[in-house]
PDB file of all heavy atoms in Angstrom:
ATOM      1  N   HIS A  51      10.110   3.136  13.807  1.00 98.00           N
ATOM      2  CA  HIS A  51      11.342   3.067  14.604  1.00 98.00           C
ATOM      3  C   HIS A  51      11.184   2.175  15.823  1.00 98.00           C
ATOM      4  O   HIS A  51      12.114   1.444  16.190  1.00 98.00           O
ATOM      5  CB  HIS A  51      11.764   4.486  15.004  1.00 98.00           C
ATOM      6  CG  HIS A  51      12.514   5.193  13.919  1.00 98.00           C
ATOM      7  ND1 HIS A  51      13.866   5.086  13.734  1.00 98.00           N
ATOM      8  CD2 HIS A  51      12.066   5.951  12.880  1.00 98.00           C
ATOM      9  CE1 HIS A  51      14.236   5.772  12.673  1.00 98.00           C
ATOM     10  NE2 HIS A  51      13.169   6.301  12.130  1.00 98.00           N
ATOM     11  N   ARG A 147       8.206  11.303 -14.265  1.00 97.00           N
ATOM     12  CA  ARG A 147       8.781  10.005 -13.933  1.00 97.00           C
ATOM     13  C   ARG A 147       9.306  10.004 -12.501  1.00 97.00           C
ATOM     14  O   ARG A 147      10.007  10.951 -12.093  1.00 97.00           O
ATOM     15  CB  ARG A 147       9.925   9.656 -14.892  1.00 97.00           C
ATOM     16  CG  ARG A 147       9.461   9.471 -16.334  1.00 97.00           C
ATOM     17  CD  ARG A 147       8.704   8.180 -16.491  1.00 97.00           C
ATOM     18  NE  ARG A 147       8.117   8.073 -17.804  1.00 97.00           N
ATOM     19  CZ  ARG A 147       8.514   7.201 -18.757  1.00 97.00           C
ATOM     20  NH1 ARG A 147       9.500   6.387 -18.499  1.00 97.00           N
ATOM     21  NH2 ARG A 147       7.899   7.161 -19.905  1.00 97.00           N
ATOM     22  N   LYS A 172       5.837  -2.234  -8.866  1.00 98.00           N
ATOM     23  CA  LYS A 172       5.325  -3.526  -8.472  1.00 98.00           C
ATOM     24  C   LYS A 172       3.851  -3.369  -8.162  1.00 98.00           C
ATOM     25  O   LYS A 172       3.384  -2.241  -7.874  1.00 98.00           O
ATOM     26  CB  LYS A 172       6.042  -4.040  -7.213  1.00 98.00           C
ATOM     27  CG  LYS A 172       7.557  -4.020  -7.282  1.00 98.00           C
ATOM     28  CD  LYS A 172       8.127  -4.963  -8.300  1.00 98.00           C
ATOM     29  CE  LYS A 172       9.646  -4.956  -8.270  1.00 98.00           C
ATOM     30  NZ  LYS A 172      10.210  -5.548  -9.485  1.00 98.00           N
ATOM     31  N   THR A 180      -8.179 -13.523  -2.160  1.00 97.00           N
ATOM     32  CA  THR A 180      -8.622 -14.761  -1.489  1.00 97.00           C
ATOM     33  C   THR A 180     -10.098 -15.062  -1.745  1.00 97.00           C
ATOM     34  O   THR A 180     -10.575 -16.114  -1.317  1.00 97.00           O
ATOM     35  CB  THR A 180      -8.376 -14.678   0.037  1.00 97.00           C
ATOM     36  OG1 THR A 180      -9.201 -13.635   0.591  1.00 97.00           O
ATOM     37  CG2 THR A 180      -6.925 -14.394   0.363  1.00 97.00           C
ATOM     38  N   LEU A 199       5.266  -8.733  -8.410  1.00 98.00           N
ATOM     39  CA  LEU A 199       4.277  -8.805  -7.333  1.00 98.00           C
ATOM     40  C   LEU A 199       4.890  -8.563  -5.952  1.00 98.00           C
ATOM     41  O   LEU A 199       5.969  -9.045  -5.664  1.00 98.00           O
ATOM     42  CB  LEU A 199       3.621 -10.212  -7.318  1.00 98.00           C
ATOM     43  CG  LEU A 199       3.036 -10.718  -8.634  1.00 98.00           C
ATOM     44  CD1 LEU A 199       2.305 -12.037  -8.403  1.00 98.00           C
ATOM     45  CD2 LEU A 199       2.109  -9.691  -9.259  1.00 98.00           C
ATOM     46  N   GLY A 245       0.692 -22.185  -8.592  1.00 98.00           N
ATOM     47  CA  GLY A 245       1.285 -23.518  -8.562  1.00 98.00           C
ATOM     48  C   GLY A 245       2.708 -23.512  -8.036  1.00 98.00           C
ATOM     49  O   GLY A 245       3.577 -24.240  -8.496  1.00 98.00           O
ATOM     50  N   GLU A 249       7.167 -21.110   0.022  1.00 97.00           N
ATOM     51  CA  GLU A 249       8.513 -20.563   0.277  1.00 97.00           C
ATOM     52  C   GLU A 249       9.017 -19.748  -0.932  1.00 97.00           C
ATOM     53  O   GLU A 249       9.670 -18.729  -0.769  1.00 97.00           O
ATOM     54  CB  GLU A 249       9.529 -21.685   0.565  1.00 97.00           C
ATOM     55  CG  GLU A 249       9.276 -22.457   1.843  1.00 97.00           C
ATOM     56  CD  GLU A 249       8.159 -23.485   1.722  1.00 97.00           C
ATOM     57  OE1 GLU A 249       7.759 -23.820   0.558  1.00 97.00           O
ATOM     58  OE2 GLU A 249       7.645 -23.926   2.754  1.00 97.00           O
TER      59      GLU A 249
END
Side-chain angles (χ1 to χ4, degrees):
H51 278 271
R147 296 287 172 110
K172 308 295 183 195
T180 64
L199 308 186
E249 295 77 16

